[in-house]
Amino acid sequence: MTNPTAISHDHPISVDASEIDFMGHVNNAHYLKWVQDAVVAHWQNIAPPQAVAEHLWVALKHEITYRKPAFLDDQVIATVVLEKVHGARAFYETIIRRGEDVLAEVKSSWCCIDAETLRPARLAEDIKRRFFGS
């Protein structure tokens, strides 16, 4: 269940011809890139610039439920919400939509990495609070 105070981020996606597979719709592998782009954009839009410069994110796990296909020239939105942070791990929910249609639901976990040492890093409490509206 999503934290009701969590700040969501809408990430627009334009479907490109290179993403279309032999069946005439977006190949499932492209959804992973969309999720990565959306989660990183969420981080960059809410975290302070210094935190963005000092931290990187590495995906640990994605669980994708595909609901409907996306097609060439569809205007798609990935809505990202940070559900919780535990240690250096962050747990996200991303809903990918075309209009009112849900195309995919994604649960993912990420590890925060110190950009200099490349070691796992915990986020400061004041940075975490920015994502939860408090």
Side-chain angles (χ1 to χ4, degrees):
M1 177 151 199
T2 301
N3 182 328
T5 63
I7 298 171
S8 66
H9 171 73
D10 288 337
H11 183 75
I13 298 165
S14 294
V15 177
D16 187 76
S18 65
E19 296 170 322
I20 304 301
D21 66 13
F22 68 96
M23 294 176 59
H25 57 71
V26 173
N27 184 281
N28 290 357
H30 290 283
Y31 286 75
L32 290 174
K33 181 178 182 322
W34 292 353
V35 169
Q36 179 166 325
D37 292 348
V39 166
V40 169
H42 181 253
W43 165 251
Q44 292 172 339
N45 280 290
I46 296 176
Q50 183 175 348
V52 171
E54 293 174 354
H55 299 91
L56 305 171
W57 290 95
V58 176
L60 300 175
K61 180 180 178 180
H62 295 293
E63 182 180 314
I64 303 176
T65 302
Y66 297 98
R67 301 279 180 209
K68 294 184 178 185
F71 300 98
L72 183 62
D73 297 326
D74 277 355
Q75 294 303 306
V76 176
I77 298 286
T79 301
V80 179
V81 174
L82 177 59
E83 294 184 311
K84 68 179 180 177
V85 177
H86 182 73
R89 292 181 69 189
F91 299 86
Y92 277 90
E93 178 180 49
T94 305
I95 306 295
I96 300 173
R97 289 183 174 86
R98 176 186 56 238
E100 296 298 315
D101 290 336
V102 173
L103 306 180
E105 298 165 310
V106 186
K107 296 282 191 174
S108 57
S109 60
W110 298 75
C111 184
C112 182
I113 304 291
D114 180 286
E116 188 175 316
T117 67
L118 301 181
R119 307 272 307 153
R122 292 175 182 256
L123 293 176
E125 289 300 318
D126 63 314
I127 295 172
K128 287 193 279 188
R129 280 193 298 271
R130 287 175 169 253
F131 291 84
F132 296 106
S134 53

